[in-house]
Amino acid sequence: MAFRLRPSERGFYPLFTQAAENIVVAADELARLVDAEAPDRPTIARRVKAAEDEGDRLTHEILTKLNSVFVTPFDREDIHRLASALDDVCDMIEEAADRIVLYRLGDLPAGIAVQVDVLCRAAIRTAAAMPGLEKVSELHQFTIDVNSLEDEGDAAYHATLAGILSPTEPITDPAAVLEAIKLKEVVDTLEDAADAFEAVANTVESIAVKES
Amino acid sequence: MAFRLRPSERGFYPLFTQAAENIVVAADELARLVDAEAPDRPTIARRVKAAEDEGDRLTHEILTKLNSVFVTPFDREDIHRLASALDDVCDMIEEAADRIVLYRLGDLPAGIAVQVDVLCRAAIRTAAAMPGLEKVSELHQFTIDVNSLEDEGDAAYHATLAGILSPTEPITDPAAVLEAIKLKEVVDTLEDAADAFEAVANTVESIAVKES
Amino acid sequence: MAFRLRPSERGFYPLFTQAAENIVVAADELARLVDAEAPDRPTIARRVKAAEDEGDRLTHEILTKLNSVFVTPFDREDIHRLASALDDVCDMIEEAADRIVLYRLGDLPAGIAVQVDVLCRAAIRTAAAMPGLEKVSELHQFTIDVNSLEDEGDAAYHATLAGILSPTEPITDPAAVLEAIKLKEVVDTLEDAADAFEAVANTVESIAVKES
């Protein structure tokens, strides 16, 4: 688009960047939580929750801004979708942290740290891409990168889940079955978070297509 | 907005009010079901199902109306979102009732009744707010109230889930593990219903912001 | 609408038809997978995955087209919703196939084949309806048929789930509990796929109402 946007309309880009940077914070805290001993986890989970609250605040600010300006840098529906998709990522990360604490899980399978590492890298990649909404240029690479990270997360998810539900030694203890179910919920939630990043990337690409 | 709406456009408000009042019926029947002895539950579950059918009918009527009028009292997308969010609440309440019967659950943990009570109060609050869509004034308080109820529901959810999955006495019986998983599904569904009310409140607030 | 659409705008119909026909392929492969011996399933699951990839490609093509044309045969939001709903069906079918393999399930309860058969018939009905988007005439019957199939799927889901979670012989073996939970995930995913067809039908009906 050839005409220049006024500052108020450009205000969406910094907000999206902030929302993505906030996801980096949430994902990093989740990585710390997964790495920590069980007794230290509730404190770290509260920091993940604080990031989720900040994410809610930013989502609310974006949607309020959306409702108060006449001209938007791209389609209103796309702004709504992008804000919601970023919010979903943050919710899923918080839900994973919450479940690990709530279920009083002890040692976690190594695959969980691999899944969380993928989330951390996807968050950094997303935060780097958000200012690009203004330039469009690097956004196609962003989608490719996030899809590639999603494939990596998917492989980690499948391997971890197989280890939990179909271990080499058959499960003979009822308490171990319950433990397996709890772990399954955590790895499912982490996979949902990876999928939510894909939704962010798909929305960004649909914006890029319209602008190009 | 200064101009007056014609009756056909105002027709959305009574429909949203009816949809919310229908949720009150569904939530009240769910409370009765949770309170009842197991053999009496299937009959009550059919009444919850009847409310869900009525909810589907109302959603359909709202969306058909949306497609047939040229002027709407607020954004088409928001009408669609609000109708869908109310429909989701009703679906979740019916799903919870359905699961309790389908899983042939007996005595339920006390926390489930607390979760359902939060849903009943959120339903009443929502039904009271819907006519306010026309006036906008009381709607911000509605969002605050629903968010506060959601926090209450969240606390009940966490406490109930911890009791089910991490009981003080370790679970040693395979049948008890299966029972725990069934109960977990029910409390998860009730939490989804509470979250669906939050989606209703968020949609209402986004409408309020545009109208103000 | 009296005016004639240009070829570029009419291009949406063949794409929706292709997406629905691709779902027929995915559902048929899923039926084969359910029918097969466990060692033969991974190969068939890869064919379901290939159909899902093709579904992603078609969704992407529809959304790209949506962003590049000025005139669309019906509301942009409805095109987006319909493409997403078809994509969801395909995702759910692939997820069901994936879980059966990932969980290393052996013999499956007969009810699962009944659920998959409903999906196959819903897919065929949907593929037959898509060209009708251009004529509108047969579309109301389509919604009725899909809703009736959804009821059939729902009954199969309930019966299968009751058999898995509340068998006549009480479960006394921890490994059997874990098996029950894995099967429950599969039948839940199949039910989600049936619900996703209903979302397709509801979107189609909302388009039909506007065009009539």
Side-chain angles (χ1 to χ4, degrees):
Chain A
M1 294 185 295
F3 61 89
R4 283 178 57 193
L5 294 167
R6 280 167 298 172
S8 69
E9 290 124 34
R10 296 179 52 156
F12 285 104
Y13 303 120
L15 285 172
F16 281 124
T17 303
Q18 275 179 62
E21 283 170 353
N22 183 59
I23 292 172
V24 175
V25 173
D28 283 353
E29 292 290 355
L30 178 61
R32 244 167 243 129
L33 183 146
V34 165
D35 218 38
E37 301 292 317
D40 299 329
R41 286 181 185 152
T43 309
I44 308 175
R46 275 192 287 278
R47 293 205 295 267
V48 180
K49 174 70 183 147
E52 194 236 357
D53 287 343
E54 173 66 7
D56 279 349
R57 198 191 61 72
L58 286 164
T59 306
H60 191 262
E61 193 174 336
I62 292 170
L63 296 184
T64 304
K65 190 179 184 66
L66 180 61
N67 290 332
S68 66
V69 298
F70 287 100
V71 183
T72 54
F74 36 89
D75 274 6
R76 282 173 185 277
E77 266 313 300
D78 286 328
I79 292 177
H80 200 286
R81 267 190 207 110
L82 183 55
S84 300
L86 290 166
D87 196 48
D88 286 349
V89 171
C90 218
D91 284 354
M92 290 296 129
I93 288 174
E94 196 270 332
E95 190 176 322
D98 191 40
R99 284 181 191 279
I100 292 169
V101 171
L102 183 63
Y103 297 167
R104 296 175 199 176
L105 290 166
D107 283 349
L108 300 170
I112 284 184
V114 178
Q115 285 187 283
V116 172
D117 180 60
V118 169
L119 296 180
C120 289
R121 284 185 285 144
I124 290 169
R125 188 64 192 87
T126 303
M130 288 299 110
L133 285 171
E134 204 166 358
K135 289 175 295 153
V136 162
S137 57
E138 66 170 299
L139 290 175
H140 186 60
Q141 189 56 43
F142 167 62
T143 308
I144 295 170
D145 291 350
V146 169
N147 280 326
S148 151
L149 283 165
E150 212 283 322
D151 285 346
E152 203 179 319
D154 210 45
Y157 167 64
H158 278 74
T160 314
L161 200 55
I164 292 167
L165 294 183
S166 311
T168 40
E169 303 262 317
I171 294 178
T172 54
D173 172 21
V177 173
L178 195 59
E179 190 80 3
I181 304 298
K182 292 174 181 179
L183 286 171
K184 180 187 166 303
E185 289 278 316
V186 172
V187 299
D188 281 350
T189 307
L190 293 172
E191 171 68 0
D192 288 344
D195 285 344
F197 272 115
E198 213 178 0
V200 169
N202 288 343
T203 307
V204 165
E205 195 180 359
S206 111
I207 294 167
V209 169
K210 290 185 203 175
E211 301 291 301
S212 67
Chain B
M1 293 186 298
F3 62 88
R4 284 177 57 193
L5 294 168
R6 279 168 297 170
S8 69
E9 289 125 34
R10 298 177 51 156
F12 284 104
Y13 303 119
L15 286 172
F16 281 125
T17 303
Q18 276 178 61
E21 283 170 353
N22 182 59
I23 293 173
V24 175
V25 172
D28 282 353
E29 292 291 355
L30 178 61
R32 246 168 240 128
L33 184 147
V34 164
D35 218 38
E37 301 292 318
D40 299 330
R41 285 180 185 153
T43 309
I44 309 176
R46 276 193 287 277
R47 293 205 295 267
V48 180
K49 175 69 183 146
E52 195 237 357
D53 287 342
E54 173 66 7
D56 280 349
R57 198 191 61 71
L58 287 164
T59 306
H60 191 261
E61 194 175 335
I62 293 169
L63 296 183
T64 304
K65 191 179 185 63
L66 180 62
N67 290 332
S68 66
V69 298
F70 286 101
V71 183
T72 53
F74 36 87
D75 274 7
R76 281 171 186 279
E77 266 312 301
D78 285 328
I79 291 177
H80 200 285
R81 265 188 209 115
L82 183 54
S84 300
L86 289 166
D87 196 49
D88 286 348
V89 171
C90 218
D91 284 354
M92 290 297 129
I93 288 174
E94 196 270 331
E95 190 176 323
D98 192 40
R99 284 182 190 280
I100 291 170
V101 170
L102 183 63
Y103 296 167
R104 297 177 198 173
L105 291 167
D107 285 348
L108 300 169
I112 284 185
V114 178
Q115 284 187 284
V116 173
D117 180 59
V118 169
L119 296 181
C120 289
R121 284 185 284 144
I124 290 170
R125 188 64 192 87
T126 303
M130 287 300 109
L133 285 171
E134 202 165 357
K135 289 175 296 156
V136 162
S137 55
E138 65 169 300
L139 290 175
H140 186 59
Q141 188 57 43
F142 167 63
T143 309
I144 294 171
D145 291 351
V146 169
N147 280 325
S148 152
L149 283 165
E150 212 282 320
D151 285 346
E152 205 179 317
D154 210 45
Y157 168 64
H158 277 75
T160 315
L161 200 56
I164 292 167
L165 294 182
S166 311
T168 39
E169 303 261 318
I171 294 178
T172 55
D173 173 22
V177 173
L178 195 57
E179 189 81 2
I181 304 302
K182 292 175 182 178
L183 287 171
K184 180 188 166 302
E185 289 279 315
V186 173
V187 300
D188 281 351
T189 307
L190 294 172
E191 173 67 2
D192 288 344
D195 285 345
F197 272 115
E198 214 178 359
V200 170
N202 288 341
T203 307
V204 165
E205 195 181 358
S206 109
I207 294 167
V209 168
K210 290 185 202 172
E211 299 291 302
S212 65
Chain C
M1 294 186 297
F3 62 88
R4 284 179 57 194
L5 294 167
R6 280 168 298 175
S8 69
E9 289 125 33
R10 296 179 50 157
F12 284 104
Y13 303 120
L15 287 172
F16 281 125
T17 303
Q18 277 178 61
E21 282 169 354
N22 182 60
I23 293 173
V24 175
V25 172
D28 283 352
E29 292 292 355
L30 177 61
R32 244 167 244 129
L33 183 147
V34 164
D35 219 38
E37 301 292 317
D40 299 329
R41 286 181 185 153
T43 310
I44 309 175
R46 276 192 287 277
R47 294 205 295 266
V48 181
K49 175 70 183 147
E52 195 236 357
D53 287 343
E54 172 66 6
D56 280 349
R57 199 192 60 73
L58 286 164
T59 306
H60 192 260
E61 193 174 337
I62 292 169
L63 297 183
T64 304
K65 189 177 185 66
L66 180 61
N67 290 332
S68 66
V69 298
F70 286 100
V71 183
T72 53
F74 35 89
D75 274 7
R76 281 171 186 279
E77 266 312 300
D78 286 328
I79 292 177
H80 201 285
R81 268 190 206 111
L82 184 54
S84 299
L86 289 166
D87 196 49
D88 286 348
V89 171
C90 218
D91 284 354
M92 291 295 130
I93 287 173
E94 195 270 331
E95 189 176 323
D98 191 40
R99 283 181 191 280
I100 291 169
V101 171
L102 181 63
Y103 297 167
R104 297 176 199 174
L105 290 166
D107 285 348
L108 300 170
I112 284 184
V114 178
Q115 285 187 284
V116 173
D117 180 60
V118 169
L119 295 181
C120 289
R121 285 185 284 143
I124 290 169
R125 188 64 192 87
T126 303
M130 288 298 109
L133 284 172
E134 202 164 359
K135 289 173 297 153
V136 163
S137 57
E138 65 169 300
L139 291 176
H140 186 59
Q141 188 56 43
F142 167 62
T143 309
I144 294 171
D145 291 350
V146 169
N147 280 326
S148 150
L149 283 164
E150 212 281 322
D151 285 347
E152 205 179 317
D154 210 46
Y157 167 64
H158 277 75
T160 315
L161 199 56
I164 292 167
L165 294 182
S166 311
T168 40
E169 302 263 320
I171 295 178
T172 54
D173 173 22
V177 173
L178 196 58
E179 189 82 1
I181 304 298
K182 292 174 182 178
L183 286 171
K184 181 188 166 300
E185 290 278 315
V186 173
V187 300
D188 281 351
T189 306
L190 294 173
E191 172 67 1
D192 287 345
D195 286 344
F197 272 116
E198 213 179 359
V200 170
N202 288 341
T203 306
V204 165
E205 195 180 359
S206 109
I207 294 167
V209 168
K210 290 185 203 174
E211 299 292 300
S212 65

